[in-house]
Each structure stands twice: as structure tokens, then as C-alpha cells.
Amino acid sequence: MLTLYGYWRSSAAYRVRIALNLKRLAYQQVPVHLVRDGGQQHAPEYQALNPQQLVPLLVDEGNGGVRIAQSLAILEYLEEVYPVPALLPADPAQRAQVRALALHIACEVHPLNNLRVLQYLSAELGASDQAKDAWYRHWVAAGLVAVEQGLAVFDGRLSLGERPGYLEACLIPQLYNARRFDCDLDAYPRILAMAARCETLEAFKQAAPEVQPDAQ
Ligand SMILES: N[C@@H](CCC(=O)N[C@@H](CS)C(=O)NCC(=O)O)C(=O)O
């Protein structure tokens, strides 16, 4: 049995939900409310499971109860332990290109706009809501403009040709965040076209934040 500790609006957990669905793996979810009680990710019981105090966390009971933090480490684990259907292309160059785009989202964009960063901006640095929104949109735009250019190599196709995988599992949650914060998306036609194709698929529909058991 696979157990995913997550939060409906966590885009990092959303990546893992998409990956699990694409691989048609059954899993149960344990919600960790990132705001309630001062953030349940900081509670001692959760810290004992994941000292990073972030979601997602995957527990694989079928593999000795191994606990894996960090969404991309989880995606890599799933790809190695449950290889079919694959999330990454077979060709090493294409795999590297997919990983580079996914890492750009996960390492260059997402951390700057994470909850604890936004909380620090307002609580410690006195940033106004307007300033925080400007910060958020700035880093989304800086990231998506690079991803938009990077998608040119796919020439209108998905990252696995006719199928989505690792790249789309990272891109669609980032786009969800961008929409949530009213970022202007007009400059990203390739991203929007890729997302439109993914959003019709069950794996993505069932991973969407609004349909998660803990969605409010
Ligand atoms: N690099 C991590 C990021 C994890 C992360 O930042 N998760 C957010 C939700 S999307 C979180 O738990 N935030 C809690 C906080 O900021 O206190 C990953 O890819 O898993």
C-alpha cells in the first residue's frame, strides 16, 4: 500500500498525485493541513515522519514502509520501482531535457513562492499583500518564460509523444498556482496547449486540488 501525506492545494503533492495516477497505482491519502493549527507540517508527529516539515511524503508499505520526501525524489522512486507505464522518455537526451524543465519548475520557481517564504515576507519583512503578489507573479513569469521556450523541442507534442509524464506532472500544478494568483499567461501558448491536452485526462482530473478529500 502506498500512502501520500499531502495537502489539496500543495502543488508539490499535486505532482505526485498525477504521477501515481499516470502509473495507475492505488494509494491512500493522509491530509496535512498546512495552515490549520499553525501548520500541521510542524506538528511533532509529522516532523517525526518528515523532518523537512513539508509535504508531500510518500510511504511505501510494500517496500518496508520506506518514507520518501521531496516530490521529484518520489517521482524518481516511482519510475524505478513501478517502471510501467514510464513517466520519462527512453532516450537519455530527452530524459535530461524533461528533467531540466521539471527541475526549473521545482527548484527555480516553486521554492520562491512557497507558503513559508510568503509567510516570512509578510510576518518578518512586513511585505504588504500587494508586494507579495508582485513577488509571486515576478517569479512565476521568470520561470514560465523559460519553460515556454524549453517546450519548443516537443514541437506541439506531449513529453512522451502522445502521452504525458514527468514533465506534465510538474507543469500542470505550477500552472494551477499561476492561475490561482492571477498571473498573466498570454505569453505561454505552448504551456497552455500542453495543459489543455492534459486536463482532459482522468489522471489529471482525479489529481486536481478541488476534488481531493481534504479540499475546502
Ligand atoms: N521541493 C519540495 C517542496 C515541498 C513544499 O514546499 N511543499 C509545500 C507545499 S507545496 C509545503 O509543504 N509548504 C509548507 C510550508 O511552507 O510551511 C518538493 O518538491 O516536495
Side-chain angles (χ1 to χ4, degrees), residues 53-74:
Q53 300 179 49
L54 299 166
V55 295
L57 177 76
L58 186 80
V59 180
D60 189 351
E61 292 300 341
N63 192 7
V66 63
R67 292 194 298 263
I68 304 163
Q70 290 289 337
S71 61
L72 294 194
I74 297 170

mmCIF file with all atom_site columns, all heavy atoms in Angstrom, residues 53-74:
data_model
loop_
_atom_site.group_PDB
_atom_site.id
_atom_site.type_symbol
_atom_site.label_atom_id
_atom_site.label_alt_id
_atom_site.label_comp_id
_atom_site.label_asym_id
_atom_site.label_entity_id
_atom_site.label_seq_id
_atom_site.pdbx_PDB_ins_code
_atom_site.Cartn_x
_atom_site.Cartn_y
_atom_site.Cartn_z
_atom_site.occupancy
_atom_site.B_iso_or_equiv
_atom_site.pdbx_formal_charge
_atom_site.auth_seq_id
_atom_site.auth_comp_id
_atom_site.auth_asym_id
_atom_site.auth_atom_id
_atom_site.pdbx_PDB_model_num
ATOM 1   N N   . GLN A 1 53 ? 9.517  18.952 7.262  1.00 0.00 ? 53 GLN A N   1
ATOM 2   C CA  . GLN A 1 53 ? 8.290  19.708 7.588  1.00 0.00 ? 53 GLN A CA  1
ATOM 3   C C   . GLN A 1 53 ? 7.605  20.271 6.343  1.00 0.00 ? 53 GLN A C   1
ATOM 4   O O   . GLN A 1 53 ? 7.143  21.420 6.338  1.00 0.00 ? 53 GLN A O   1
ATOM 5   C CB  . GLN A 1 53 ? 8.588  20.818 8.597  1.00 0.00 ? 53 GLN A CB  1
ATOM 6   C CG  . GLN A 1 53 ? 9.147  20.286 9.908  1.00 0.00 ? 53 GLN A CG  1
ATOM 7   C CD  . GLN A 1 53 ? 9.468  21.387 10.903 1.00 0.00 ? 53 GLN A CD  1
ATOM 8   O OE1 . GLN A 1 53 ? 8.657  22.265 11.156 1.00 0.00 ? 53 GLN A OE1 1
ATOM 9   N NE2 . GLN A 1 53 ? 10.664 21.346 11.457 1.00 0.00 ? 53 GLN A NE2 1
ATOM 10  N N   . LEU A 1 54 ? 7.615  19.491 5.300  1.00 0.00 ? 54 LEU A N   1
ATOM 11  C CA  . LEU A 1 54 ? 6.967  19.856 4.042  1.00 0.00 ? 54 LEU A CA  1
ATOM 12  C C   . LEU A 1 54 ? 6.174  18.662 3.549  1.00 0.00 ? 54 LEU A C   1
ATOM 13  O O   . LEU A 1 54 ? 6.492  17.515 3.886  1.00 0.00 ? 54 LEU A O   1
ATOM 14  C CB  . LEU A 1 54 ? 8.022  20.225 2.984  1.00 0.00 ? 54 LEU A CB  1
ATOM 15  C CG  . LEU A 1 54 ? 8.940  21.419 3.281  1.00 0.00 ? 54 LEU A CG  1
ATOM 16  C CD1 . LEU A 1 54 ? 10.122 21.426 2.314  1.00 0.00 ? 54 LEU A CD1 1
ATOM 17  C CD2 . LEU A 1 54 ? 8.168  22.730 3.184  1.00 0.00 ? 54 LEU A CD2 1
ATOM 18  N N   . VAL A 1 55 ? 5.154  18.926 2.752  1.00 0.00 ? 55 VAL A N   1
ATOM 19  C CA  . VAL A 1 55 ? 4.508  17.852 2.005  1.00 0.00 ? 55 VAL A CA  1
ATOM 20  C C   . VAL A 1 55 ? 4.942  18.005 0.538  1.00 0.00 ? 55 VAL A C   1
ATOM 21  O O   . VAL A 1 55 ? 5.292  19.120 0.126  1.00 0.00 ? 55 VAL A O   1
ATOM 22  C CB  . VAL A 1 55 ? 2.963  17.916 2.130  1.00 0.00 ? 55 VAL A CB  1
ATOM 23  C CG1 . VAL A 1 55 ? 2.533  17.677 3.549  1.00 0.00 ? 55 VAL A CG1 1
ATOM 24  C CG2 . VAL A 1 55 ? 2.380  19.205 1.571  1.00 0.00 ? 55 VAL A CG2 1
ATOM 25  N N   . PRO A 1 56 ? 4.951  16.918 -0.203 1.00 0.00 ? 56 PRO A N   1
ATOM 26  C CA  . PRO A 1 56 ? 4.445  15.587 0.097  1.00 0.00 ? 56 PRO A CA  1
ATOM 27  C C   . PRO A 1 56 ? 5.472  14.693 0.799  1.00 0.00 ? 56 PRO A C   1
ATOM 28  O O   . PRO A 1 56 ? 6.672  14.979 0.813  1.00 0.00 ? 56 PRO A O   1
ATOM 29  C CB  . PRO A 1 56 ? 4.155  15.038 -1.300 1.00 0.00 ? 56 PRO A CB  1
ATOM 30  C CG  . PRO A 1 56 ? 5.243  15.628 -2.145 1.00 0.00 ? 56 PRO A CG  1
ATOM 31  C CD  . PRO A 1 56 ? 5.448  17.010 -1.602 1.00 0.00 ? 56 PRO A CD  1
ATOM 32  N N   . LEU A 1 57 ? 4.915  13.595 1.326  1.00 0.00 ? 57 LEU A N   1
ATOM 33  C CA  . LEU A 1 57 ? 5.728  12.488 1.825  1.00 0.00 ? 57 LEU A CA  1
ATOM 34  C C   . LEU A 1 57 ? 5.033  11.223 1.352  1.00 0.00 ? 57 LEU A C   1
ATOM 35  O O   . LEU A 1 57 ? 3.815  11.090 1.516  1.00 0.00 ? 57 LEU A O   1
ATOM 36  C CB  . LEU A 1 57 ? 5.779  12.524 3.358  1.00 0.00 ? 57 LEU A CB  1
ATOM 37  C CG  . LEU A 1 57 ? 6.539  11.355 3.999  1.00 0.00 ? 57 LEU A CG  1
ATOM 38  C CD1 . LEU A 1 57 ? 8.043  11.554 3.841  1.00 0.00 ? 57 LEU A CD1 1
ATOM 39  C CD2 . LEU A 1 57 ? 6.198  11.226 5.484  1.00 0.00 ? 57 LEU A CD2 1
ATOM 40  N N   . LEU A 1 58 ? 5.815  10.328 0.773  1.00 0.00 ? 58 LEU A N   1
ATOM 41  C CA  . LEU A 1 58 ? 5.240  9.050  0.331  1.00 0.00 ? 58 LEU A CA  1
ATOM 42  C C   . LEU A 1 58 ? 5.763  7.942  1.235  1.00 0.00 ? 58 LEU A C   1
ATOM 43  O O   . LEU A 1 58 ? 6.963  7.884  1.521  1.00 0.00 ? 58 LEU A O   1
ATOM 44  C CB  . LEU A 1 58 ? 5.644  8.746  -1.119 1.00 0.00 ? 58 LEU A CB  1
ATOM 45  C CG  . LEU A 1 58 ? 4.971  7.498  -1.702 1.00 0.00 ? 58 LEU A CG  1
ATOM 46  C CD1 . LEU A 1 58 ? 3.546  7.811  -2.146 1.00 0.00 ? 58 LEU A CD1 1
ATOM 47  C CD2 . LEU A 1 58 ? 5.763  6.929  -2.868 1.00 0.00 ? 58 LEU A CD2 1
ATOM 48  N N   . VAL A 1 59 ? 4.857  7.067  1.660  1.00 0.00 ? 59 VAL A N   1
ATOM 49  C CA  . VAL A 1 59 ? 5.253  5.877  2.426  1.00 0.00 ? 59 VAL A CA  1
ATOM 50  C C   . VAL A 1 59 ? 4.846  4.661  1.605  1.00 0.00 ? 59 VAL A C   1
ATOM 51  O O   . VAL A 1 59 ? 3.697  4.565  1.164  1.00 0.00 ? 59 VAL A O   1
ATOM 52  C CB  . VAL A 1 59 ? 4.566  5.857  3.813  1.00 0.00 ? 59 VAL A CB  1
ATOM 53  C CG1 . VAL A 1 59 ? 4.994  4.621  4.589  1.00 0.00 ? 59 VAL A CG1 1
ATOM 54  C CG2 . VAL A 1 59 ? 4.898  7.131  4.602  1.00 0.00 ? 59 VAL A CG2 1
ATOM 55  N N   . ASP A 1 60 ? 5.814  3.770  1.379  1.00 0.00 ? 60 ASP A N   1
ATOM 56  C CA  . ASP A 1 60 ? 5.542  2.556  0.604  1.00 0.00 ? 60 ASP A CA  1
ATOM 57  C C   . ASP A 1 60 ? 5.614  1.350  1.543  1.00 0.00 ? 60 ASP A C   1
ATOM 58  O O   . ASP A 1 60 ? 6.698  0.847  1.833  1.00 0.00 ? 60 ASP A O   1
ATOM 59  C CB  . ASP A 1 60 ? 6.558  2.424  -0.539 1.00 0.00 ? 60 ASP A CB  1
ATOM 60  C CG  . ASP A 1 60 ? 6.185  1.297  -1.502 1.00 0.00 ? 60 ASP A CG  1
ATOM 61  O OD1 . ASP A 1 60 ? 5.251  0.526  -1.186 1.00 0.00 ? 60 ASP A OD1 1
ATOM 62  O OD2 . ASP A 1 60 ? 6.828  1.196  -2.564 1.00 0.00 ? 60 ASP A OD2 1
ATOM 63  N N   . GLU A 1 61 ? 4.446  0.940  2.007  1.00 0.00 ? 61 GLU A N   1
ATOM 64  C CA  . GLU A 1 61 ? 4.387  -0.211 2.937  1.00 0.00 ? 61 GLU A CA  1
ATOM 65  C C   . GLU A 1 61 ? 4.882  -1.480 2.257  1.00 0.00 ? 61 GLU A C   1
ATOM 66  O O   . GLU A 1 61 ? 5.427  -2.365 2.912  1.00 0.00 ? 61 GLU A O   1
ATOM 67  C CB  . GLU A 1 61 ? 2.947  -0.429 3.434  1.00 0.00 ? 61 GLU A CB  1
ATOM 68  C CG  . GLU A 1 61 ? 2.416  0.668  4.343  1.00 0.00 ? 61 GLU A CG  1
ATOM 69  C CD  . GLU A 1 61 ? 3.235  0.869  5.615  1.00 0.00 ? 61 GLU A CD  1
ATOM 70  O OE1 . GLU A 1 61 ? 3.994  -0.042 5.995  1.00 0.00 ? 61 GLU A OE1 1
ATOM 71  O OE2 . GLU A 1 61 ? 3.122  1.958  6.205  1.00 0.00 ? 61 GLU A OE2 1
ATOM 72  N N   . GLY A 1 62 ? 4.691  -1.553 0.937  1.00 0.00 ? 62 GLY A N   1
ATOM 73  C CA  . GLY A 1 62 ? 5.126  -2.737 0.199  1.00 0.00 ? 62 GLY A CA  1
ATOM 74  C C   . GLY A 1 62 ? 6.643  -2.827 0.070  1.00 0.00 ? 62 GLY A C   1
ATOM 75  O O   . GLY A 1 62 ? 7.174  -3.818 -0.411 1.00 0.00 ? 62 GLY A O   1
ATOM 76  N N   . ASN A 1 63 ? 7.327  -1.810 0.531  1.00 0.00 ? 63 ASN A N   1
ATOM 77  C CA  . ASN A 1 63 ? 8.796  -1.795 0.441  1.00 0.00 ? 63 ASN A CA  1
ATOM 78  C C   . ASN A 1 63 ? 9.366  -1.419 1.814  1.00 0.00 ? 63 ASN A C   1
ATOM 79  O O   . ASN A 1 63 ? 10.141 -0.482 1.942  1.00 0.00 ? 63 ASN A O   1
ATOM 80  C CB  . ASN A 1 63 ? 9.229  -0.803 -0.641 1.00 0.00 ? 63 ASN A CB  1
ATOM 81  C CG  . ASN A 1 63 ? 10.710 -0.947 -0.991 1.00 0.00 ? 63 ASN A CG  1
ATOM 82  O OD1 . ASN A 1 63 ? 11.387 -1.865 -0.534 1.00 0.00 ? 63 ASN A OD1 1
ATOM 83  N ND2 . ASN A 1 63 ? 11.208 -0.017 -1.778 1.00 0.00 ? 63 ASN A ND2 1
ATOM 84  N N   . GLY A 1 64 ? 8.900  -2.152 2.813  1.00 0.00 ? 64 GLY A N   1
ATOM 85  C CA  . GLY A 1 64 ? 9.428  -1.976 4.165  1.00 0.00 ? 64 GLY A CA  1
ATOM 86  C C   . GLY A 1 64 ? 9.004  -0.676 4.823  1.00 0.00 ? 64 GLY A C   1
ATOM 87  O O   . GLY A 1 64 ? 9.632  -0.229 5.783  1.00 0.00 ? 64 GLY A O   1
ATOM 88  N N   . GLY A 1 65 ? 7.971  -0.052 4.292  1.00 0.00 ? 65 GLY A N   1
ATOM 89  C CA  . GLY A 1 65 ? 7.498  1.207  4.895  1.00 0.00 ? 65 GLY A CA  1
ATOM 90  C C   . GLY A 1 65 ? 8.439  2.365  4.634  1.00 0.00 ? 65 GLY A C   1
ATOM 91  O O   . GLY A 1 65 ? 8.450  3.340  5.392  1.00 0.00 ? 65 GLY A O   1
ATOM 92  N N   . VAL A 1 66 ? 9.195  2.289  3.553  1.00 0.00 ? 66 VAL A N   1
ATOM 93  C CA  . VAL A 1 66 ? 10.153 3.366  3.233  1.00 0.00 ? 66 VAL A CA  1
ATOM 94  C C   . VAL A 1 66 ? 9.417  4.702  3.116  1.00 0.00 ? 66 VAL A C   1
ATOM 95  O O   . VAL A 1 66 ? 8.307  4.766  2.581  1.00 0.00 ? 66 VAL A O   1
ATOM 96  C CB  . VAL A 1 66 ? 10.942 3.039  1.940  1.00 0.00 ? 66 VAL A CB  1
ATOM 97  C CG1 . VAL A 1 66 ? 10.031 2.952  0.729  1.00 0.00 ? 66 VAL A CG1 1
ATOM 98  C CG2 . VAL A 1 66 ? 12.039 4.055  1.691  1.00 0.00 ? 66 VAL A CG2 1
ATOM 99  N N   . ARG A 1 67 ? 10.042 5.749  3.682  1.00 0.00 ? 67 ARG A N   1
ATOM 100 C CA  . ARG A 1 67 ? 9.446  7.099  3.622  1.00 0.00 ? 67 ARG A CA  1
ATOM 101 C C   . ARG A 1 67 ? 10.300 7.956  2.697  1.00 0.00 ? 67 ARG A C   1
ATOM 102 O O   . ARG A 1 67 ? 11.521 8.034  2.867  1.00 0.00 ? 67 ARG A O   1
ATOM 103 C CB  . ARG A 1 67 ? 9.435  7.741  5.013  1.00 0.00 ? 67 ARG A CB  1
ATOM 104 C CG  . ARG A 1 67 ? 8.490  7.081  5.978  1.00 0.00 ? 67 ARG A CG  1
ATOM 105 C CD  . ARG A 1 67 ? 8.261  7.960  7.197  1.00 0.00 ? 67 ARG A CD  1
ATOM 106 N NE  . ARG A 1 67 ? 9.479  8.191  7.954  1.00 0.00 ? 67 ARG A NE  1
ATOM 107 C CZ  . ARG A 1 67 ? 9.845  7.509  9.032  1.00 0.00 ? 67 ARG A CZ  1
ATOM 108 N NH1 . ARG A 1 67 ? 9.078  6.543  9.483  1.00 0.00 ? 67 ARG A NH1 1
ATOM 109 N NH2 . ARG A 1 67 ? 10.954 7.795  9.654  1.00 0.00 ? 67 ARG A NH2 1
ATOM 110 N N   . ILE A 1 68 ? 9.644  8.621  1.757  1.00 0.00 ? 68 ILE A N   1
ATOM 111 C CA  . ILE A 1 68 ? 10.386 9.442  0.800  1.00 0.00 ? 68 ILE A CA  1
ATOM 112 C C   . ILE A 1 68 ? 9.777  10.834 0.763  1.00 0.00 ? 68 ILE A C   1
ATOM 113 O O   . ILE A 1 68 ? 8.580  11.006 0.486  1.00 0.00 ? 68 ILE A O   1
ATOM 114 C CB  . ILE A 1 68 ? 10.363 8.821  -0.611 1.00 0.00 ? 68 ILE A CB  1
ATOM 115 C CG1 . ILE A 1 68 ? 10.919 7.399  -0.534 1.00 0.00 ? 68 ILE A CG1 1
ATOM 116 C CG2 . ILE A 1 68 ? 11.195 9.643  -1.586 1.00 0.00 ? 68 ILE A CG2 1
ATOM 117 C CD1 . ILE A 1 68 ? 10.583 6.573  -1.715 1.00 0.00 ? 68 ILE A CD1 1
ATOM 118 N N   . ALA A 1 69 ? 10.609 11.825 1.043  1.00 0.00 ? 69 ALA A N   1
ATOM 119 C CA  . ALA A 1 69 ? 10.214 13.230 0.945  1.00 0.00 ? 69 ALA A CA  1
ATOM 120 C C   . ALA A 1 69 ? 10.662 13.756 -0.422 1.00 0.00 ? 69 ALA A C   1
ATOM 121 O O   . ALA A 1 69 ? 11.349 13.069 -1.171 1.00 0.00 ? 69 ALA A O   1
ATOM 122 C CB  . ALA A 1 69 ? 10.887 14.035 2.062  1.00 0.00 ? 69 ALA A CB  1
ATOM 123 N N   . GLN A 1 70 ? 10.249 14.974 -0.741 1.00 0.00 ? 70 GLN A N   1
ATOM 124 C CA  . GLN A 1 70 ? 10.624 15.677 -1.976 1.00 0.00 ? 70 GLN A CA  1
ATOM 125 C C   . GLN A 1 70 ? 9.936  15.048 -3.193 1.00 0.00 ? 70 GLN A C   1
ATOM 126 O O   . GLN A 1 70 ? 10.223 13.910 -3.582 1.00 0.00 ? 70 GLN A O   1
ATOM 127 C CB  . GLN A 1 70 ? 12.144 15.726 -2.180 1.00 0.00 ? 70 GLN A CB  1
ATOM 128 C CG  . GLN A 1 70 ? 12.854 16.624 -1.191 1.00 0.00 ? 70 GLN A CG  1
ATOM 129 C CD  . GLN A 1 70 ? 12.597 18.118 -1.430 1.00 0.00 ? 70 GLN A CD  1
ATOM 130 O OE1 . GLN A 1 70 ? 12.259 18.516 -2.544 1.00 0.00 ? 70 GLN A OE1 1
ATOM 131 N NE2 . GLN A 1 70 ? 12.752 18.919 -0.400 1.00 0.00 ? 70 GLN A NE2 1
ATOM 132 N N   . SER A 1 71 ? 9.073  15.833 -3.803 1.00 0.00 ? 71 SER A N   1
ATOM 133 C CA  . SER A 1 71 ? 8.242  15.300 -4.881 1.00 0.00 ? 71 SER A CA  1
ATOM 134 C C   . SER A 1 71 ? 9.053  14.695 -6.026 1.00 0.00 ? 71 SER A C   1
ATOM 135 O O   . SER A 1 71 ? 8.670  13.658 -6.576 1.00 0.00 ? 71 SER A O   1
ATOM 136 C CB  . SER A 1 71 ? 7.312  16.386 -5.409 1.00 0.00 ? 71 SER A CB  1
ATOM 137 O OG  . SER A 1 71 ? 8.036  17.463 -5.933 1.00 0.00 ? 71 SER A OG  1
ATOM 138 N N   . LEU A 1 72 ? 10.169 15.319 -6.395 1.00 0.00 ? 72 LEU A N   1
ATOM 139 C CA  . LEU A 1 72 ? 10.901 14.757 -7.537 1.00 0.00 ? 72 LEU A CA  1
ATOM 140 C C   . LEU A 1 72 ? 11.625 13.473 -7.154 1.00 0.00 ? 72 LEU A C   1
ATOM 141 O O   . LEU A 1 72 ? 11.780 12.567 -7.979 1.00 0.00 ? 72 LEU A O   1
ATOM 142 C CB  . LEU A 1 72 ? 11.866 15.782 -8.139 1.00 0.00 ? 72 LEU A CB  1
ATOM 143 C CG  . LEU A 1 72 ? 11.200 17.001 -8.791 1.00 0.00 ? 72 LEU A CG  1
ATOM 144 C CD1 . LEU A 1 72 ? 12.189 17.778 -9.647 1.00 0.00 ? 72 LEU A CD1 1
ATOM 145 C CD2 . LEU A 1 72 ? 10.001 16.627 -9.633 1.00 0.00 ? 72 LEU A CD2 1
ATOM 146 N N   . ALA A 1 73 ? 12.052 13.368 -5.898 1.00 0.00 ? 73 ALA A N   1
ATOM 147 C CA  . ALA A 1 73 ? 12.620 12.096 -5.427 1.00 0.00 ? 73 ALA A CA  1
ATOM 148 C C   . ALA A 1 73 ? 11.541 11.018 -5.454 1.00 0.00 ? 73 ALA A C   1
ATOM 149 O O   . ALA A 1 73 ? 11.805 9.858  -5.797 1.00 0.00 ? 73 ALA A O   1
ATOM 150 C CB  . ALA A 1 73 ? 13.193 12.258 -4.025 1.00 0.00 ? 73 ALA A CB  1
ATOM 151 N N   . ILE A 1 74 ? 10.317 11.413 -5.130 1.00 0.00 ? 74 ILE A N   1
ATOM 152 C CA  . ILE A 1 74 ? 9.200  10.454 -5.166 1.00 0.00 ? 74 ILE A CA  1
ATOM 153 C C   . ILE A 1 74 ? 8.930  10.010 -6.609 1.00 0.00 ? 74 ILE A C   1
ATOM 154 O O   . ILE A 1 74 ? 8.748  8.822  -6.898 1.00 0.00 ? 74 ILE A O   1
ATOM 155 C CB  . ILE A 1 74 ? 7.939  11.059 -4.518 1.00 0.00 ? 74 ILE A CB  1
ATOM 156 C CG1 . ILE A 1 74 ? 8.193  11.355 -3.034 1.00 0.00 ? 74 ILE A CG1 1
ATOM 157 C CG2 . ILE A 1 74 ? 6.735  10.136 -4.696 1.00 0.00 ? 74 ILE A CG2 1
ATOM 158 C CD1 . ILE A 1 74 ? 7.091  12.164 -2.353 1.00 0.00 ? 74 ILE A CD1 1
#
